[in-house]
Amino acid sequence: MYLRTTQRKNKNGTTVRYVQLAHNHRMGGTTQAEVVHNFGREDQLDTDGLRRLVASINRYLGEDGADAAAPAAGGGLEVTGSRPLGAVWLLQGLWRQLEIDAALKKILGTRRFRTDVERVLFALVANRAIAPASKLSAADWAGRDAVIPGLETMAEDQAYRAMDLLVEADVQAEVQEAVFFAVANLLNLEVDLLFFDTTNTYFERDEPDGGDAPFRTYGKSKDHRDDLPQITIGLAVTKEGVPVRCWVWPGGTSDQAILPQVKDDMRDWKLGRVITVVDRGFSSADNLAYLTRAGGHYIAGMRMRDGGDLAEAALARQGRYQSVRDNLRVKEVKLDQAPGRRFVICHNPAQEERDRHHREDAIKRIEAELERIRAQRERDAKRATTTKAQERAEAAHVRAECALIEHPTLKRWLRASKNGRLAIDRAKVKAEERLDGKYLLTSSDPHLSAEEIAVGYKALLEAERGFRDLKTVLELRPVFHRLEHRIRAHVLLCWLALLLIRVAERRTGQTWNRISTQLGRVHEVTLTGDAGQITQTTPLSSEQAALYRDCGIKPPPRITAADPA
């Protein structure tokens, strides 16, 4: 005799499993299973009653000291396997709930593959979210260290083949478009504000790519690694932080040349009335004019220190600030020389205090260092030394001054005086005082209030948080690829992983690190004995169950497989 499970699918798509006590008997030349007793539905099973039955059988057999819980599937059970399941199960639930699997299958077409490409892509995305590694390590992880439903094993060449098919299908961003619209419909996302920003990721190699159209090239690095080849990545997100689309360009591409392509690409998606929010690096006159094509609008940050005549005129206008929040005041000014454009000056009192303290600390450091150099130069001049020694002393003073003028944060407050010595630029200090805690915004939308413009721009931090999570949580770098299409596929996998973890964070109110740590403790355990093999999941804690509930995902079943001997 043995325990077995059967299942029935309801009209609403749910599956109900039943537990039965059965034994096999021979009829003619075949063996048939006969049900001795029905224990009922698995989710309503009286497990304590089963344990009491097992204990009674053990007492009859004289094995009172046996573990009453283990023989539920047969005596002599031994743990033969254990792999984490909880975080993968949540990601798979979101993957299917957001219809990403259906979107991928539709885009990949009706071609038949030896491997389930959708399952391989999901395994790569799950690996990026849970245990980021190279594709070789990801293949080993999917086959040995995690449970990927529907995928027993995965080889490295299968991973690369799936990546090639993914980037081939996404030449015109068809994959991203299909995925986003499926997600937007299910989550009821609002895309009236679209936040865009760029970042770089560098490669640990000595030389950039060669050829007529190099991809990994030198450029101005936002990671402060101008010495290494890089690529440029663009990311558009909603105000909830859900990624909309990503772009990849060669490393030397400037921000000013990027925005027209982004505008045209998003216009092809026909999202309706969209206000694009960009940072100061994209606020050139040509870019802003391009954003207003076809009825579009923008909110953009403006450079205050070198923003030209418009910035100077806006900051010079008098007016009263309006308090929006405890840490934000806004003032709108109008300029006759810029018709159709609105300018909003934002002021953060707390930031003003921090700016003042940082500047005062910098000035004190400069004054102390200049005084030290002056005093040392006077002492060396009074000494009766040789000409060669005086030259060496003067060279040391010059090196100290050069270190000061080249300092990344202190050099802005210095100027060269008429005698060639360094001095504090008091005019620059005075000019900076009136900019403490302020930033300047411009917008083309006549219907937004000054408060809405300021709050909308502050939400641009969601795009920056997306880049931060790409580089830390999802470990975008290092990129273990050299071919351009593989690099693009790698970025696209990271984008899909970011989409899943953002939805999980939005629904649970917790960070992905917290979610994955909690659910990583849910394991699928395999028990093997004389009566056969049974696979079951560890019991859920209240916090783990709440994470599945908040995400609208049904927890993994208690018993996932039962194979009698």
Side-chain angles (χ1 to χ4, degrees), residues 392-405:
R392 286 199 300 269
E394 182 59 26
H397 304 325
V398 172
R399 284 195 300 272
E401 290 176 333
C402 288
L404 198 58
I405 198 65

Side-chain angles (χ1 to χ4, degrees), residues 82-93 95-96 115-131 137-155 158 500 522-524 535 556 560:
S82 177
R83 292 187 292 175
L85 170 67
V88 174
W89 189 270
L90 178 72
L91 291 175
Q92 175 177 262
W95 179 270
R96 291 177 174 172
T115 308
D116 190 339
V117 176
E118 180 269 332
R119 287 286 82 195
V120 174
L121 290 175
F122 169 73
L124 294 175
V125 171
N127 172 259
R128 189 52 48 186
I130 299 171
S137 298
D140 189 63
W141 174 84
R144 297 173 181 268
D145 301 325
V147 180
I148 307 296
L151 187 69
E152 294 296 330
T153 60
M154 185 175 77
Q158 293 174 333
L500 292 179
V522 180
H523 278 233
E524 183 182 84
T535 304
T560 56

Side-chain angles (χ1 to χ4, degrees), residues 380-397:
D380 291 340
K382 293 178 181 179
R383 293 175 182 173
T385 57
T386 63
T387 302
K388 194 170 184 179
Q390 291 178 352
E391 290 177 351
R392 286 199 300 269
E394 182 59 26
H397 304 325

Side-chain angles (χ1 to χ4, degrees), residues 102-119:
L104 287 175
K105 290 178 180 178
K106 180 179 178 181
I107 293 298
L108 292 173
T110 57
R111 290 179 294 176
R112 301 183 66 180
F113 307 101
R114 293 181 179 179
T115 308
D116 190 339
V117 176
E118 180 269 332
R119 287 286 82 195

Side-chain angles (χ1 to χ4, degrees), residues 259-260 263 282-298 341 444:
L259 206 54
K263 170 67 175 176
F282 303 94
S283 59
S284 68
D286 292 339
N287 275 342
L288 297 183
Y290 205 93
L291 288 175
T292 58
R293 290 188 177 186
H297 289 290
Y298 61 80
R341 291 180 60 179
S444 62

